[in-house]
Amino acid sequence: MNVLKLLKPLNLVFFLPLIFPLYLWKFKLLGIPFNFLESVVLVLFVIQIFLWIFSFIKTHHRFREIRDFLINNKKLLIFSFCFFLCILFSILIVPREVLLVDHSTIFPSLNTALGIFKGWLLMPFLYFILLYFSERKQSNFLISLYCYVLSALPLIIWAYYQSITGDFITLDQRASGPFENANYLAMYIAPAITALWILLIQNIILKFKVLPFFIAVFFTIFYSIAILLTHSYGAILAIVSTLLFYLIFNLFLFKKAKLDFEYQFLKRIGYFLIIILILIGFAGILIFSGTAKWNSFFDLSKRDSSTVRLQVYQIDLALLRRNPILGIGLGQYQPQYDLNALNILGQKPYELNMLHPHNTLMALWLNLGIAGLILYLILIYQSVKSFYRNDEIGNKLFKLIGLMMFLMTFIHGLFDTYIFKNDLAFLFILIIALCLLPKNKTDLDLSAKKHTI
């Protein structure tokens, strides 16, 4: 009976992060491109829809059920309506095809927009709906978090293998796992590293146990070294900045809650962690020094990731000035970059082909218009609001995990594009769910006495 309960779609959804990277397994279903991750989400959602319909047919108060559903979920319904209306406009302005600057290559604009809608927006939205109507206990979302962290392990082992053997996929000799770009690996594992450091600190302060502590230490260090192997300076900066903010903010929480022991203990951990971060920084310099990327990082006269980004941001801003309300259309950055880069820069760009704006905020604005950016900012507001409206310290500390992961992606997203990729879109939904969905019933016991702030 317990096994059958575990196999329900709304229970299986908590294990879904285990297969986030399996979006790389692609196939066609009835002529439509799909990947393994999308197909699992779709199957779970369809099964759950039938269960909901069956349950609705059995009820004797159908009108009241519909009324209660609309009232109880009005915020979700309003946000969903605005979200899909925003997507509709971003697709309607997309032409069927675009002839690129070489006057021979045709970019399938509409098919690209529809593919992005399916894989990066619709399927992650269905994933959120499954989480929203699930049993929203903190322990269930903790399972999802652990599953996500575990899903990054094979990718990290792959990155270690590449660094040890020199068998890189990337041209710039950076560890990337199965991805064609090392930044893709960095963006996927950076939130996991942030979560591991926070879980390690919470394990020490809240409920210290020897075996979980040493396991947490091993995986935290193992994962942290992997981010150095990607040579993603943006990810490293985002992780370090977020952890420092977490320590300072946590000290404030403990002091306000009058948890003197935890406050003093966290101060000592903070000193130790700062030393560790400094050592990691020196280790990073030793790893990075001598590499082509490090040597050219501050030389803005040559082509490298810094100069390419500066050109990309210049093009981004020019495209936004031309299309400030609706943006350029869903998935249209690549052709618009190709057609406009030369005119905007007044010279041939360092990078002839560019898939993303290298900034999450600009990506949202360009792809979904100003409405898409506003919806993203609303999610930030709701996440912070959900954190502050909890008085119990255990609830705050749990939701702080998701909030810090969100902060990390926001900082890293100033230099790279989160959300607009299959696994990153699902990861974004998981982070939002950690911030918004867990019920206000803590699984984190500070003591027998409840503390409020």
Side-chain angles (χ1 to χ4, degrees):
M1 186 66 180
N2 291 333
V3 175
L4 292 176
K5 184 179 179 180
L6 186 65
L7 293 177
K8 288 183 178 180
L10 290 183
N11 290 324
L12 287 174
V13 71
F14 291 109
F15 297 92
L16 197 64
L18 273 175
I19 63 169
F20 280 176
L22 291 184
Y23 83 92
L24 294 167
W25 179 9
K26 300 177 182 179
F27 54 89
K28 284 192 174 182
L29 184 64
L30 301 176
I32 302 174
F34 268 90
N35 61 58
F36 184 75
L37 176 59
E38 292 173 354
S39 63
V40 171
V41 172
L42 191 59
V43 168
L44 290 178
F45 187 78
V46 169
I47 293 174
Q48 188 59 52
I49 286 291
F50 278 111
L51 292 176
W52 281 332
I53 292 173
F54 181 72
S55 176
F56 176 72
I57 292 174
K58 286 175 61 178
T59 184
H60 299 291
H61 307 283
R62 297 174 189 173
F63 175 77
R64 190 174 68 186
E65 292 287 332
I66 294 174
R67 183 198 62 192
D68 292 345
F69 174 82
L70 294 175
I71 293 173
N72 295 334
N73 301 287
K74 59 182 178 182
K75 287 185 178 180
L76 174 67
L77 295 171
I78 292 172
F79 187 89
S80 301
F81 174 79
C82 295
F83 177 62
F84 282 103
L85 189 64
C86 172
I87 293 172
L88 177 62
F89 279 110
S90 69
I91 293 176
L92 287 177
I93 64 174
V94 171
R96 187 174 185 83
E97 295 174 339
V98 171
L99 183 64
L100 298 184
V101 73
D102 61 5
H103 299 294
S104 61
T105 304
I106 296 177
F107 184 82
S109 292
L110 185 57
N111 283 344
T112 300
L114 293 175
I116 289 175
F117 165 66
K118 174 182 67 69
W120 301 356
L121 299 173
L122 178 61
M123 292 301 169
F125 177 80
L126 299 184
Y127 171 49
F128 180 81
I129 293 299
L130 288 172
L131 287 172
Y132 183 88
F133 290 103
S134 64
E135 187 178 2
R136 287 152 45 176
K137 296 190 299 184
Q138 288 182 6
S139 56
N140 286 337
F141 285 98
L142 200 57
I143 289 173
S144 283
L145 178 60
Y146 287 146
C147 286
Y148 154 60
V149 171
L150 189 59
S151 75
L153 183 58
L155 310 182
I156 288 173
I157 292 173
W158 197 332
Y160 273 97
Y161 166 80
Q162 291 172 332
S163 298
I164 293 170
T165 63
D167 186 17
F168 296 101
I169 296 176
T170 58
L171 296 176
D172 53 5
Q173 305 293 290
R174 296 163 60 192
S176 64
F179 306 115
E180 59 188 12
N181 190 314
N183 291 332
Y184 292 160
L185 176 62
M187 284 190 284
Y188 188 76
I189 68 174
I193 295 168
T194 304
L196 279 170
W197 278 104
I198 292 173
L199 289 169
L200 175 61
I201 293 171
Q202 288 191 352
N203 175 273
I204 296 171
I205 296 176
L206 305 182
K207 46 181 180 180
F208 182 80
K209 295 180 180 178
V210 176
L211 182 60
F213 169 74
F214 281 106
I215 293 174
V217 168
F218 171 78
F219 279 103
T220 301
I221 295 174
F222 190 70
Y223 277 49
S224 297
I225 294 173
I227 200 69
L228 300 178
L229 303 179
T230 67
H231 294 216
S232 175
Y233 304 157
I236 296 168
L237 174 64
I239 293 170
V240 172
S241 301
T242 302
L243 290 177
L244 290 175
F245 180 83
Y246 170 78
L247 286 171
I248 295 170
F249 192 74
N250 240 14
L251 285 170
F252 168 78
L253 286 180
F254 287 152
K255 189 172 184 180
K256 191 174 181 181
K258 298 180 180 179
L259 297 170
D260 296 330
F261 173 77
E262 288 81 2
Y263 176 77
Q264 296 298 331
F265 200 11
L266 185 60
K267 280 179 66 176
R268 298 187 186 97
I269 293 174
Y271 299 145
F272 177 74
L273 185 59
I274 289 171
I275 295 172
I276 292 294
L277 292 175
I278 292 173
L279 292 175
I280 291 174
F282 280 117
I285 291 173
L286 291 175
I287 293 174
F288 300 146
S289 60
T291 63
K293 181 176 180 180
W294 179 263
N295 293 333
S296 62
F297 185 69
F298 300 104
D299 186 357
L300 300 181
S301 64
K302 297 180 181 178
R303 181 197 181 282
D304 78 320
S305 61
S306 300
T307 53
V308 168
R309 274 181 171 81
L310 289 175
Q311 287 191 342
V312 169
Y313 296 150
Q314 189 176 340
I315 294 167
D316 295 347
L317 292 172
L319 292 175
L320 284 174
R321 283 193 294 268
R322 296 176 186 179
N323 311 274
I325 305 301
L326 295 179
I328 60 177
L330 190 60
Q332 301 309 295
Y333 188 80
Q334 184 179 357
Q336 291 302 315
Y337 179 94
D338 178 85
L339 293 171
N340 295 285
L342 180 60
N343 292 331
I344 293 171
L345 298 174
Q347 65 181 39
K348 191 175 181 180
Y350 288 124
E351 189 68 45
L352 298 178
N353 185 41
M354 187 61 60
L355 300 178
H356 299 293
H358 277 291
N359 181 284
T360 303
L361 298 176
M362 289 185 181
L364 287 161
W365 198 341
L366 287 167
N367 280 275
L368 298 172
I370 189 68
L373 179 61
I374 291 173
L375 291 175
Y376 177 77
L377 296 177
I378 289 174
L379 287 178
I380 294 178
Y381 169 76
Q382 290 295 334
S383 298
V384 175
K385 179 181 176 182
S386 177
F387 172 79
Y388 274 105
R389 71 184 176 192
N390 285 294
D391 289 332
E392 208 278 313
I393 185 70
N395 293 323
K396 281 187 177 293
L397 291 176
F398 184 84
K399 290 198 173 183
L400 194 57
I401 300 172
L403 199 59
M404 291 300 100
M405 292 171 71
F406 200 157
L407 176 62
M408 198 291 308
T409 61
F410 181 86
I411 297 172
H412 192 190
L414 299 176
F415 312 102
D416 277 303
T417 306
Y418 273 85
I419 302 176
F420 288 91
K421 186 171 171 283
N422 299 75
D423 53 341
L424 298 180
F426 279 89
L427 175 55
F428 175 72
I429 293 298
L430 173 60
I431 293 172
I432 289 296
L434 288 170
C435 293
L436 297 179
L437 299 187
K439 292 180 179 178
N440 298 333
K441 181 181 178 181
T442 183
D443 295 326
L444 299 174
D445 294 325
L446 292 174
S447 66
K449 183 180 177 181
K450 294 291 182 181
H451 296 274
T452 59
I453 55 177

